Amino acid sequence: MMQRWRYIQLVLFACLTLLTVSCGLDAGSLVVLVSWPEGDTPPADVKSLVFIIEGKGINQTRRSFEPSKKTIDVPDLATGEKKVTLQGVNAKGDVLYQAGSSVTIRDHEHAAITMKLASTTPPLPPEPITPTTATTTLTTGTTTPMPTIPPSPLPPLQPSCDADVDGPGEPAIEFTDVPPYGSFNDHKPDGGPDDLKGKVSHVKPKDYKVAVYIYVPDIPPVSGWWTKPTFATPLTSIACDGTWRTDIMTGGVDETATKIVAYLVPNGYSPPLAEGMVSLPSELDSESVPRVEKTRMPPGSLDTTFGAGGMVMTDFKDSGSGAYVSIQSDGKIVLAGSASNGLNDAFVLVRYTPNGSLDTTFGTNGKVMIDFGGSNNAYSSAIQPDGKIVIAGKGGNGSNNSDFALARYKSDGSLDTSFGPDGKIMTDFGISDAIDSVAIQPDGKIVVLGHVYYGGLFVNTDLVIARYNSDGSLDNTFGTGGRIIADFGGGRDIGYSVVIQPDEKIIVSGGSFYGSPPSWTSYNFFLMRYSTNGSIDTNFGTNGNIIADFGGSLAIQSDGKIILAGDMDGNFAITRYNSNGSPDTIFGTGGNTITDFGGNDDGNSVAIQSDGKIVVTGSTNYTSAVARYNQSGLLDTTFGIDGKVRTDFKENRDIGWSVAIQSDGKIVIGGVTSTDFSFTRSCPCGGLVVARYNP
């Protein structure tokens, strides 16, 4: 879509600037009448008159004339709104006088405007008034003093362009505001929020200027490095306080630039003019004092600074399953799952540095494995406020059945022996039990959601919510002996997700299935909320329950609203509830948004960005899938292609299993890649994958 639009832009540009009539496009003309502060006579210090015109349908045009030029004719202009700027510049290229105007060009019509340039130098502040005391003589002959006249307030002291900004030191330049990828400059009076802005330090502003270049990739024939803002003005002046700003979106596809570089250069230096250069000349580095560079990428593109091309895979010889990702406060990434230890499946943790390499300070070469005995599978993980890592699932109990299994690790990857007998605990609730989701309360207590099987038909399971103290013992202040058993009518009850509200109330999502798999005769999905003591919160939904259209992953917005994401009828599905459990009907369409990736789609995990946007990951026809939504519930079309991204990790079957958001906004997906097309609760099995996307 983006490439097609860029191609259309280039075709239009060619038509409008070279072949307006033959292309059959509407066109008009414009004449500009030039006026100076003193009438028709340009000031003596003006050596050139610069004319700039820009707007939809044309690339920016700049022309230079003699200052005495009285009229400027522009034929064959594309119709529409245009912005016109006149500049009077001196021999150094400094803009001393300027005027701006807008004009509408209509088909086959001739427009004319008069533009009077005004000085860009602010007037000197008024001289301060010295306090005086006056007297007057009354008719009685006595003398009475007049009130003292207070002085006018002095203007704030302005920084001197002859002094080093921030004092002596090594010259420096930095960006303070970089326009996001894809943004256009709206040319507001203050320069527009999408101007490139920066600051220099430890130099005299009057002695330096800034040379800015942008790199536009993969859009022939305009690919490469370009001078900004224009060839006529290749240098940007620096204010006396060291700040500078310039427009980097003066061309037709500049919003797609992925690299921006600024050089601090001395006055008198003429930087090379870049017009689609493959690389910038080395003389810029030798002539500039320092330089600064920024890379920006399209939202939803893989972050190529991470791993290999934005992904890293840890191979467990086709035995890896589950991929539950968490972000530590130091930016390291923790991935939890299961893998074979040669005898049976075991819990596994892998930790990566922020650049995607295995963290060799963790466990053995970045990995740890723990065996509870028998077959073990991890289904969820979380990081405590103190940095300890909790991993949860099921552990074999020696009789071909399983119990709740929890393990806690220190930051170095060793088991935390203050948790349970030796860093791990197992809890038996029935014949066969498993934890489906885990969350950490602010006080460090651990809440788990799972299910218990009592025997007979496997479809007869109940939901279990349990809470553990920080030492691994069951919290007897919660429910009955630290647990709650919920039976929804004799069917197969399973849990999907558990989250903790800021007030420590607990919300769970789950489902009840009746009949025999895979053709269930009926099913229900639900949300429930519990108070901190384990009692049902009757103020939520109907007597503490909500009947949902689908089951899935939960997240809580900063305003307390609840996001539920999963899948329905083979598509991604997302819905939002108010904090009291009522549907938020202003979200999406009547409270729901259904997203079709064009295949059999499964939504597995949801996370909320700091700006309120919502990210869901899963799969579509065995390809990893990510969708991003605005707070309104509509797809964020700035992300990927129309709000959606598909990623082939490596093998035939790739699934995004979990999602987390870094502090810098980058999106981290934990997934699995495999050639195995079996589908069970503990599969897909294969290599564990972490992929990171630009926000």
Side-chain angles (χ1 to χ4, degrees):
M1 177 68 76
M2 179 64 77
Q3 294 294 338
R4 186 182 301 121
W5 170 235
R6 291 170 179 165
Y7 176 77
I8 293 171
Q9 285 181 309
L10 293 173
V11 172
L12 289 176
F13 169 71
C15 290
L16 291 167
T17 57
L18 301 177
L19 301 170
T20 303
V21 176
S22 62
C23 288
L25 299 179
D26 295 341
S29 60
L30 170 68
V31 62
V32 178
L33 307 178
V34 181
S35 177
W36 296 92
E38 302 300 327
D40 293 336
T41 304
D45 51 355
V46 173
K47 302 303 180 185
S48 179
L49 174 65
V50 178
F51 169 78
I52 307 165
I53 185 168
E54 52 195 320
K56 291 185 178 179
I58 61 170
N59 203 5
Q60 186 191 62
T61 299
R62 285 180 179 251
R63 303 177 189 172
S64 295
F65 302 97
E66 291 295 324
S68 57
K69 183 79 170 177
K70 299 295 188 297
T71 61
I72 300 172
D73 295 305
V74 189
D76 297 330
L77 274 176
T79 58
E81 189 77 11
K82 302 291 180 287
K83 179 187 176 184
V84 182
T85 303
L86 291 180
Q87 295 176 341
V89 300
N90 62 14
K92 294 182 179 180
D94 298 322
V95 179
L96 305 181
Y97 297 85
Q98 184 164 296
S101 181
S102 296
V103 60
T104 300
I105 304 300
R106 296 181 173 85
D107 187 26
H108 302 304
E109 291 188 9
H110 182 79
I113 57 174
T114 299
M115 299 180 65
K116 184 173 184 178
L117 290 90
S119 174
T120 61
T121 304
L124 294 174
E127 293 291 333
I129 301 174
T130 303
T132 59
T133 301
T135 60
T136 183
T137 302
L138 303 179
T139 55
T140 58
T142 60
T143 300
T144 303
M146 292 291 288
T148 299
I149 302 174
S152 299
L154 294 175
L157 184 64
Q158 298 297 317
S160 171
C161 285
D162 291 317
D164 286 342
V165 177
D166 299 330
E170 189 71 20
I173 183 171
E174 62 178 321
F175 292 132
T176 58
D177 190 2
V178 177
Y181 181 95
S183 63
F184 292 88
N185 202 324
D186 57 10
H187 298 292
K188 290 188 175 179
D190 67 349
D194 291 331
D195 271 355
L196 176 70
K197 301 170 191 173
K199 186 178 184 296
V200 302
S201 302
H202 313 305
V203 295
K204 296 178 176 63
K206 71 180 184 64
D207 295 337
Y208 292 88
K209 285 187 171 59
V210 178
V212 175
Y213 299 87
I214 66 170
Y215 181 78
V216 177
D218 306 325
I219 313 176
V222 299
S223 303
W225 289 98
W226 292 82
T227 293
K228 288 297 157 187
T230 63
F231 290 168
T233 313
L235 292 171
T236 298
S237 298
I238 303 170
C240 293
D241 62 357
T243 59
W244 56 272
R245 66 190 302 164
T246 192
D247 187 356
I248 61 170
M249 284 168 282
T250 53
V253 291
D254 292 345
E255 73 280 1
T256 66
T258 56
K259 294 181 182 178
I260 305 166
V261 62
Y263 296 86
L264 180 61
V265 298
N267 278 341
Y269 172 65
S270 297
L273 300 179
E275 187 177 9
M277 287 183 175
V278 176
S279 59
L280 292 173
S282 59
E283 72 170 76
L284 279 164
D285 288 308
S286 59
E287 293 290 342
S288 66
V289 182
R291 56 169 273 176
V292 61
E293 184 171 339
K294 173 73 173 180
T295 299
R296 61 179 194 178
M297 299 300 291
S301 61
L302 283 166
D303 175 14
T304 55
T305 67
F306 181 79
M311 296 184 288
V312 59
M313 187 184 83
T314 304
D315 190 5
F316 288 95
K317 298 180 180 179
D318 272 347
S319 69
S321 65
Y324 308 100
V325 68
S326 303
I327 312 296
Q328 293 187 173
S329 59
D330 60 2
K332 292 182 178 180
I333 299 168
V334 177
L335 192 66
S338 313
S340 174
N341 61 10
L343 297 175
N344 48 49
D345 285 343
F347 282 16
V348 63
L349 283 175
V350 186
R351 191 166 74 187
Y352 305 91
T353 64
N355 67 7
S357 59
L358 284 168
D359 180 10
T360 56
T361 68
F362 184 78
T364 303
N365 296 322
K367 308 175 189 176
V368 296
M369 299 186 79
I370 184 66
D371 187 359
F372 287 86
S375 179
N376 312 282
N377 290 103
Y379 297 137
S380 186
S381 66
I383 297 178
Q384 295 186 169
D386 60 3
K388 292 180 179 179
I389 304 164
V390 177
I391 183 169
K394 68 176 184 178
N397 58 18
S399 57
N400 294 322
N401 291 311
S402 62
D403 295 331
F404 273 28
L406 284 163
R408 190 166 71 191
Y409 295 86
K410 297 179 182 178
S411 60
D412 63 357
S414 62
L415 278 166
D416 176 15
T417 55
S418 69
F419 183 75
D422 54 2
K424 54 184 180 177
I425 59 172
M426 295 180 67
T427 307
D428 184 5
F429 291 107
I431 293 177
S432 194
D433 322 313
I435 295 173
D436 299 306
S437 181
V438 62
I440 311 296
Q441 291 189 173
D443 61 2
K445 292 183 178 182
I446 301 166
V447 178
V448 299
L449 169 68
H451 58 272
V452 56
Y453 165 58
Y454 295 113
L457 292 175
F458 186 69
V459 296
N460 182 21
T461 63
D462 289 340
L463 204 69
V464 179
I465 303 130
R467 189 166 71 190
Y468 296 86
N469 296 308
S470 60
D471 63 359
S473 61
L474 281 167
D475 178 10
N476 291 323
T477 68
F478 182 80
T480 302
R483 72 197 73 180
I484 300 166
I485 307 294
D487 182 2
F488 291 89
R492 183 183 180 188
D493 304 325
I494 61 172
Y496 289 123
S497 181
V498 58
V499 291
I500 312 296
Q501 293 187 170
D503 61 3
E504 297 192 1
K505 289 184 178 180
I506 301 165
I507 302 177
V508 301
S509 68
S512 294
F513 301 83
Y514 306 93
S516 300
S519 301
W520 304 103
T521 56
S522 62
Y523 50 84
N524 290 312
F525 301 102
F526 54 83
L527 274 69
M528 297 185 297
R529 189 165 71 188
Y530 295 87
S531 300
T532 56
N533 63 2
S535 61
I536 194 78
D537 180 8
T538 56
N539 294 318
F540 182 76
T542 303
N543 296 320
N545 294 273
I546 298 172
I547 300 301
D549 293 327
F550 56 90
S553 178
L554 292 171
I556 299 177
Q557 294 186 169
S558 58
D559 60 1
K561 291 185 177 182
I562 303 155
I563 298 293
L564 172 67
D567 50 83
M568 185 168 64
D569 298 329
N571 299 310
F572 273 25
I574 183 170
T575 191
R576 188 166 70 191
Y577 298 93
N578 296 309
S579 59
N580 64 1
S582 62
D584 183 4
T585 56
I586 66 172
F587 183 81
T589 302
N592 294 318
T593 297
I594 305 299
T595 303
D596 184 5
F597 278 84
N600 185 22
D601 310 330
D602 295 306
N604 294 327
S605 181
V606 63
I608 300 174
Q609 297 182 173
S610 60
D611 61 2
K613 291 183 178 181
I614 303 160
V615 180
V616 178
T617 190
S619 65
T620 175
N621 283 358
Y622 309 121
T623 298
S624 174
V626 184
R628 188 165 76 180
Y629 304 85
N630 294 312
Q631 294 186 54
S632 64
L634 301 178
L635 280 166
D636 175 12
T637 56
T638 69
F639 184 80
I641 299 176
D642 296 329
K644 298 178 283 188
V645 172
R646 299 169 177 84
T647 306
D648 285 319
F649 291 150
K650 182 181 178 183
E651 302 292 354
N652 296 331
R653 179 175 183 151
D654 303 321
I655 292 182
W657 214 244
S658 62
V659 58
I661 311 297
Q662 292 187 170
S663 58
D664 61 0
K666 291 183 177 180
I667 300 163
V668 180
I669 302 297
V672 172
T673 183
S674 174
T675 57
D676 179 8
F677 280 80
S678 64
F679 191 86
T680 65
R681 179 64 175 88
S682 59
C683 275
C685 304
L688 301 184
V689 178
V690 177
R692 191 165 73 189
Y693 299 84
N694 292 298

